[in-house]
Amino acid sequence: MRNLLLFAALTALLTACGTDDNTPITINPAFGEYVFAYTSGIISTSDPIIVKLAQPYSGPFQMSEALPDNILRFDPAIDGQ
């Protein structure tokens, strides 16, 4: 009886931990014209998110300034600049 209870508890634990959403994210290939690479996957809250553009940006921009809110969108939403 004890082994059965242990087996049931382990099974419940393992199935509860295995609920990852493995649905692949589809990326519009047209973005490849603009974005060369980006941070993806599961990252720590303290890790930076990096977006590498395919071409050098020629618009007005200072490294010390935040980008306008409509440049990038993150889902789920994140805090920060």
Side-chain angles (χ1 to χ4, degrees), residues 17 54 58 60 64 80:
C17 293
S58 60
S64 60

Side-chain angles (χ1 to χ4, degrees), residues 53 55-63 65 67-68 71:
L53 302 177
Q55 302 294 323
Y57 180 69
S58 60
F61 174 71
Q62 297 294 323
M63 289 295 287
E65 296 178 5
L67 291 173
I71 298 293

